[in-house]
Amino acid sequence: MMISKRVFERLACCYCRLHSQPSFIYHFRNFSLWSTKKDPDLEAALSRNRRWIVNNQIKNIILRCPNQVVPLEHLQKKFKTLDLQGKALNWLKKYPCCFEIYLENDEYYCRLTKRMTHLVEEEELVKDMQEPVFVQKLAKLLMMSVNQRLNVTKLNELKHSFGFPDDYIIRILPKHPEIFRLVNNGWRKSSMEIELLAWNPDIAVSAVEASAQKQGIEPCFSCSLPSTWIKSWQRFEEFSAIPYISPYLNPRGLEEGSKEMEKKIVGLVHELLSLTLWKKLSIVKLSHFKREFALPEKLNILLLKHPGIFYVSNKYQIYTVLLREAYNGSELVDKNPLVIVKNKFGDLMQEGLHEYNQRRRIVNLEKKRKCMNLMKPERRKVASSETSNQDDNGDTLGGLGRLFDPEERKRFYKVLFDER
């Protein structure tokens, strides 16, 4: 039988698709292995922050709305950007201590509760007090960059990680014209950059160097791995033999791919993480600064080479790097004042979630009781119908049918043994 050319092409296409699938699975599996051996405590720290991040974004949406009230329909549209599924109403009901929902003109609205509003006010007070810290952080970030310039759009992706307020450009830059300058050579919003005008050697000291000065030792990284990780400890000791290179040193004098360049990059990532609130960053967002910080193309591979310094996780399919030494179990060792306030927000969330779960539990118990009460009359009807059927069968069997009833058998044997 002759096969047409078109049929032959379709068969060839199906064959290619069939045999290309394992290759895709292989690459996907390889990608999923880009993480360190799981640490339960650090994974717990990441999962605890997940709900906080989402609710913090909802809080910011409400604060930007007129009178700080948002229609639920508008919030539902924003749910896709928050990586959430389902109804916004169901999510907000889980946190009654944070969000207040009310019905007006047949439409649901949401606003912050009084307790939540007090926390927002407290957070603003802490931000005002932390303004000198923000200035120092921004200066440090610019000093670590190659050209002492950072793109505003890219920096906005990490502003919450570093603790910067939403209006940090308006709040900080006009007050310090001798340190910072806003430039826009391309006359586009995406090309806007912050430039450092004055280098301050007093703050060009990394967290590793500051810790070494306090202890009176040479700057070096610390390893936070169990003693059973023998090979990792050996690699760490070999890496520690190379002298520490400050992240504020210009990398132009270092050869690309050398051990010294690797030491410089590890120190730079370590310093970036130490400047964040939770000592963690998204690897994808961090890789956006490859040009500004002279980071390698395969940054994730470099981080995985140093498990004693960094912890790489793919929780929620988001690749995140944490600074191991900054955590004791699942808790931060040194907490920024902003972190303390934000932890209060997390506690309020947990309180509301516990209250919601208790209500759901009571409702479910009531449903079960109602179902049981409805089933009891049905069971009685079934039981009575069975006994009547047994009586009828007993009559046809000449009374022997009653012996199949358990109660009748008990009476029969009792009479039998009593007579003996």
Side-chain angles (χ1 to χ4, degrees), residues 228-261:
T228 52
W229 291 39
I230 298 169
K231 290 184 179 180
S232 296
W233 268 103
Q234 288 174 353
R235 285 194 294 266
F236 175 76
E237 287 170 1
E238 290 172 7
F239 183 70
S240 298
I242 305 165
Y244 177 80
I245 299 173
S246 173
Y248 299 99
L249 180 72
N250 197 311
R252 286 172 183 169
L254 301 173
E255 186 181 348
E256 190 174 347
S258 63
K259 292 289 183 182
E260 289 75 18
M261 189 64 179

Side-chain angles (χ1 to χ4, degrees), residues 97-247:
C97 296
C98 302
F99 308 110
E100 184 182 340
I101 302 163
Y102 64 95
L103 187 64
E104 187 176 306
N105 299 326
D106 296 330
E107 188 176 357
Y108 282 103
Y109 291 88
C110 179
R111 62 189 172 200
L112 301 178
T113 60
K114 288 183 180 179
R115 293 174 67 186
M116 190 67 185
T117 306
H118 291 323
L119 280 180
V120 171
E121 292 170 358
E122 186 180 346
E123 186 179 359
E124 285 302 313
L125 286 173
V126 173
K127 284 179 181 178
D128 292 337
M129 293 170 64
Q130 288 269 299
E131 194 168 306
V133 179
F134 297 149
V135 174
Q136 187 172 319
K137 273 188 185 181
L138 185 57
K140 277 176 168 280
L141 290 170
L142 291 165
M143 289 165 75
M144 281 189 283
S145 63
V146 177
N147 299 317
Q148 281 77 60
R149 283 188 177 192
L150 286 175
N151 183 276
V152 174
T153 306
K154 291 181 180 180
L155 194 57
N156 284 343
E157 292 180 2
L158 297 176
K159 63 182 178 183
H160 292 134
S161 297
F162 291 111
F164 294 147
D166 290 330
D167 59 345
Y168 72 100
I169 293 175
I170 301 169
R171 186 183 292 207
I172 296 173
L173 269 62
K175 294 179 182 178
H176 303 277
E178 73 286 355
I179 305 175
F180 309 110
R181 181 175 68 177
L182 201 63
V183 293
N184 192 353
N185 296 326
W187 300 104
R188 291 179 301 176
K189 189 178 179 181
S190 59
S191 61
M192 195 178 295
E193 294 180 323
I194 302 173
E195 184 182 10
L196 183 73
L197 299 177
W199 182 280
N200 186 356
D202 294 333
I203 64 171
V205 180
S206 67
V208 173
E209 290 172 320
S211 177
Q213 286 175 7
K214 287 180 182 179
Q215 298 176 39
I217 59 173
E218 289 294 318
C220 61
F221 297 110
S222 62
C223 183
S224 305
L225 285 178
S227 57
T228 52
W229 291 39
I230 298 169
K231 290 184 179 180
S232 296
W233 268 103
Q234 288 174 353
R235 285 194 294 266
F236 175 76
E237 287 170 1
E238 290 172 7
F239 183 70
S240 298
I242 305 165
Y244 177 80
I245 299 173
S246 173

Side-chain angles (χ1 to χ4, degrees), residues 264-382:
K264 164 74 168 56
I265 293 166
V266 169
L268 189 141
V269 176
H270 185 286
E271 182 68 2
L272 287 173
L273 291 172
S274 67
L275 291 174
T276 61
L277 294 179
W278 282 280
K279 316 304 176 191
K280 67 181 182 71
L281 280 173
S282 163
I283 295 176
V284 174
K285 290 180 180 179
L286 185 58
S287 63
H288 293 168
F289 292 89
K290 285 177 182 176
R291 181 174 57 85
E292 289 85 349
F293 294 127
L295 298 173
E297 284 293 325
K298 296 179 179 179
L299 178 61
N300 56 331
I301 295 174
L302 176 68
L303 297 173
L304 286 171
K305 283 174 67 178
H306 303 279
I309 304 169
F310 308 116
Y311 176 75
V312 179
S313 171
N314 63 343
K315 197 169 184 68
Y316 303 114
Q317 297 180 352
I318 300 170
Y319 283 82
T320 309
V321 55
L322 288 86
L323 195 60
R324 276 190 182 270
E325 65 186 46
Y327 282 84
N328 182 15
S330 62
E331 295 295 328
L332 277 169
V333 177
D334 295 320
K335 293 183 180 179
N336 187 286
L338 267 174
V339 172
I340 295 170
V341 176
K342 292 178 186 294
N343 280 349
K344 290 180 182 178
F345 176 26
D347 293 339
L348 193 64
M349 275 174 48
Q350 286 300 116
E351 184 184 332
L353 189 61
H354 178 72
E355 183 182 325
Y356 170 80
N357 289 334
Q358 286 293 104
R359 287 179 184 174
R360 286 291 300 272
R361 182 172 168 276
I362 292 167
V363 170
N364 289 335
L365 285 173
E366 286 296 323
K367 285 181 180 178
K368 284 181 180 179
R369 284 172 188 168
K370 286 180 180 178
C371 289
M372 292 296 290
N373 291 333
L374 289 171
M375 288 172 68
K376 280 179 181 178
E378 292 294 328
R379 286 179 179 175
R380 287 171 185 168
K381 287 179 182 178
V382 171

